[in-house]
Amino acid sequence: MSRRRLATSVSSVVVGLVLLGTEALAHTISLPKIDVGGQRRSVTVPHVHTPSGTRIVSSTRPSPVVPAVSRPPAEPSGPQPPPITSSSEKFFTGKEVNALPFKQPGEALEIVPGLIVTQHSGDGKANQYYLRGFNLDHGADLALYLDGMPLNMRTHGHGQGYADANFLIPELLAYVLARKGPYDAQDGDFSSAGSIYMQYKDKIDKGFFQVTGGSFAYARALAVVPYQDFAGGSAYGAVEAQYYNGPWERGDNLHRINSVLRWARGTQLDGAAVTFMGYANKWYSTDQIPERAVYSGLKSLWGTLDPTDGGDTTRFSLSGRWSQTEGNHASRVEFYAMHSTLDLYNNFTYYLANQTLGDQFRQFDRRTMIGVNAEHAIKWDSFGLPVQTRVGLQSRYDDIRLGLQDSFRRTPYDTVRNDAVGEGSVSVWTDTTVQWSPWLRTVTGGRFDYYNASVTSLQSLLGAPVIATSEGLPAFLWTGPFNSNSKDASLFSPKASIIVGPFQKTELYFNYGEGFHSTDARGAVQSFSASELSDTDGFLTVSSIPLLVKSRGAEIGWRTKYIEGLDSSMSFFWLNLDSENQFEGDSGTTTFGRPSRRYGIEFANHYRPVSWISFDGDVALVHARYRGVDQLQAFAWLDLLTPEALPYGTFLGNAPGNYLQNSVGITAMGGLEIGEATGWFGALKYRYIGSRPLTEDGYLQSPVTGTLSARLGYRWADGWRLQVDAFNVFNSRSDQITYGYGSLLPTDPLYSACVNGVAPSAVCGVGVMDRHFKPLEPTAVRLTFGGPISFESLPDFTAPLRVVSD
């Protein structure tokens, strides 16, 4: 049979099945008429409200579509799991998020299958994220939201998409919704790998407190106080304070203060809410250290090469929500205003760039962000078929002051970048859901995004770096004024999903979508390098990078509840990025990376055979590679293969290759939770991170990391709770995080060769290639005690002993 005849036959079969399903639907169900406009008639139908909109509940017969809103209603039973549109989409209640032990607030998000959250520079800095073969840095392709506010910071002083979740108070979470891939029209910037929507509770019925103390001077106190019948609604306030020193020779001396004040009335479908958040944190950090420094005895496993590294940050926000549901229509509007500050001091290469003062640098970011999200949904019928259409608007503006300075012991002495940036965006999205038959549902839509960015350099001549020319004479590298410019870009991203089933409590999912990530506005308008001169001692020209970079992804999977109590899903995904480009905040330069491709498989399970025990287990296997040839790296590698450079061995780890650095090939997580609402309870969490390439050629590799955490506690009926958490139970000596690059220490033989001008400049520019790592913290134990803030009664401390004796 020819390909054309085969395609025609297949198309005929598909069309026939759809027509048969539609005809059967028309004969078996008489749908009520829905008037669009004029006097609206409400229709009572089964539905579930989801953070991404109310969607059709698949059943043995189609149900009319109901209005979409962005969050689940505040029901007595709590938020309900939404009908999903992809096999990898997951929904977790706040109780489920807090059921397994975690050390930092951001690690609570590891409940999302395949997501790894770690840290390399103190607990005040945004976490590092790994998902679907991405080294997401601090959030470059993982979109995080809290109460509708985006946490990812575009054109940020430290890195594009910087998403700091350290101000999160996990105990206040109502739910977490995780979507992977760019398949939903609501998901825009930074969502190529996935999007995570977090929602705080609208109402707290009873006030509570808890205090925690533990290893390495860890201390935390949290108090939540409700205010009932307040200004026509209900309100609550939460205050958190934390201190931590860590196992490091130079203690973190972390001081964190955090607060939330929230007022709400009605429900998520019909109501309003206003929330204020305030957060401040300051710390010292022990960053990654080179392996050779530990093996030579220069530094201990817990040592640092620059004890002044660290930073401070603040964040204040005011956000609100209004929603209304009337008949066949539903509307929702969210607004937010946020102001944040960040100062960071880091030294990752030690004495590579400056053999006298060292390579510490300061990054600063001051920004005010305002934005609005609005959407309207309508349910209607088309030729007897239930249809739902959503239309949304997202707009955001960032007023930013940011820069990069070289520093010595937290004292800046020159300014590489100092810029004022205004960046705004307007996005319009829509999607339409059609229930074609009892076993076939489609969601089609798209979004249009427009971005505009303006960069104004504030770098002065005297503040510019002083750099040596080819003749050894000093010169000011005053490129800032010539890197001032503006740029705009627009992008259309189509989305489509097909859901087939259920059959035997099993559904199949087919998804396709295009997404994007924005790039640093400074890199998008930059014309000259901010860190080096050309061979003729003039400004070195660089290529600006696109403001928006497209991604394309697809997914096929299934989800089943065929076995009672077991929820299993499997997903096969594929994702292409047009470029892995980024602005390098550590050097003030731009990198236009090659295109990349990732594909893999994820398998996730949640099993609750009885009410008092549940198991979680997931594994992800990913293949991630660059596409094309890295010509610039090939030329740089040839410079390291000259007879003068070859003996220094710097060519090792610098050959061109297609490995995506720090792309995790395999991750796995296992969880066990036991216990009822009262009495003894416990939990175990095992996390596995496979080895990964640290360089393009794969010469340097990270070790495998596996850690086990445990929890044991007792809950009293009147709200009191006592628990013990243990982290890294088996005291693994593996790495929290690992990098592969070149650095220079005064004890390196290459150091004196570079200082005395003996080694070739190409070699001195690379340094000593090494594995740079931050070790896992040793076994730590934390004790938590909490209860009602009213102190009307005290717990019966003999109750746990009686249970044991029985």
Side-chain angles (χ1 to χ4, degrees), residues 545-715:
I545 62 179
L547 187 58
L548 304 179
V549 175
K550 182 175 280 292
S551 62
R552 299 170 179 85
E555 184 174 306
I556 299 175
W558 53 261
R559 179 168 180 155
T560 182
K561 295 183 179 181
Y562 181 77
I563 299 176
E564 188 68 26
L566 176 63
D567 187 345
S568 295
S569 64
M570 180 171 286
S571 307
F572 300 87
F573 69 89
W574 156 85
L575 183 67
N576 277 7
L577 263 67
D578 282 357
S579 172
E580 293 279 337
N581 61 356
Q582 60 184 1
F583 182 89
E584 295 182 347
D586 299 348
S587 62
T589 59
T590 62
T591 298
F592 189 80
R594 287 175 287 161
S596 63
R597 173 174 292 128
R598 296 168 174 85
Y599 58 86
I601 180 174
E602 295 175 329
F603 185 43
N605 301 272
H606 175 76
Y607 183 46
R608 184 177 290 276
V610 292
S611 63
W612 57 271
I613 187 169
S614 69
F615 302 90
D616 290 277
D618 62 76
V619 62
L621 305 174
V622 182
H623 183 273
R625 295 290 188 272
Y626 284 113
R627 292 179 288 152
V629 178
D630 191 343
Q631 295 181 349
L632 294 178
Q633 186 63 32
F635 291 141
W637 186 58
L638 291 176
D639 288 338
L640 300 175
L641 293 177
T642 61
E644 298 81 11
L646 195 61
Y648 293 95
T650 49
F651 62 90
L652 297 172
N654 282 299
N658 285 330
Y659 287 104
L660 279 163
Q661 299 95 320
N662 251 308
S663 173
V664 184
I666 177 171
T667 62
M669 194 277 286
L672 168 66
E673 180 191 0
I674 57 174
E676 297 282 9
T678 60
W680 286 97
F681 66 94
L684 294 173
K685 175 186 174 182
Y686 179 76
R687 184 183 72 167
Y688 176 89
I689 311 173
S691 179
R692 53 201 181 275
L694 303 177
T695 55
E696 281 186 19
D697 58 0
Y699 174 74
L700 294 177
Q701 296 277 332
S702 76
V704 169
T705 299
T707 55
L708 178 69
S709 300
R711 170 176 293 172
L712 181 65
Y714 189 86
R715 285 186 286 252

Side-chain angles (χ1 to χ4, degrees), residues 214-298:
S215 306
F216 311 118
Y218 180 88
R220 178 181 184 247
L222 171 67
V224 181
V225 180
Y227 303 93
Q228 308 296 345
D229 301 322
F230 182 84
S234 61
Y236 65 85
V239 178
E240 174 197 33
Q242 182 180 326
Y243 179 83
Y244 187 54
N245 221 26
W248 321 108
E249 292 180 358
R250 175 44 170 117
D252 286 355
N253 195 28
L254 178 143
H255 291 75
R256 174 188 296 162
I257 185 72
N258 200 4
S259 62
V260 174
L261 182 61
R262 187 176 182 91
W263 171 89
R265 66 170 176 81
T267 68
Q268 290 280 337
L269 294 177
D270 271 297
V274 178
T275 305
F276 168 81
M277 302 181 195
Y279 165 75
N281 197 345
K282 65 177 182 178
W283 70 95
Y284 287 93
S285 65
T286 296
D287 294 338
Q288 64 264 22
I289 55 177
E291 189 176 59
R292 64 186 185 277
V294 177
Y295 287 174
S296 67
L298 177 65

